[in-house]
Amino acid sequence: KATVIVNRLPDVLMVPTAAVHGIGPGSTVSLIGADDSRREVPVQIGTVGDPTSEVTSGLKTGDRVLVPRPAGT
């Protein structure tokens, strides 16, 4: 097993790729509010990786996003 680092992205906002709905134009994430309500918010996605992707706009540090459970858990 090996890990290959293709690109290092210092000081960027990252979210789990599984939390992003529709990579590309029209991408959204489910944002969890202070009252635990949920709403879809549009985001711009930069570099996509496994297991995380860069968010270039639409979220700020500290926002809580919903990450779906893997199937079968």
Side-chain angles (χ1 to χ4, degrees):
K1 184 175 180 178
T3 300
V4 178
I5 298 173
V6 177
N7 196 8
R8 283 197 188 272
L9 301 170
D11 302 321
V12 297
L13 185 61
M14 304 293 285
V15 297
T17 300
V20 181
H21 309 165
I23 300 293
S27 295
T28 63
V29 297
S30 295
L31 189 65
I32 306 299
D35 61 355
D36 289 332
S37 62
R38 185 179 107 180
R39 65 186 172 96
E40 292 293 309
V41 295
V43 292
Q44 293 290 320
I45 301 298
T47 301
V48 176
D50 182 22
T52 59
S53 292
E54 174 190 18
V55 177
T56 59
S57 69
L59 293 178
K60 63 184 181 308
T61 300
D63 282 346
R64 297 186 305 159
V65 297
L66 181 65
V67 181
R69 290 184 186 173
T73 61

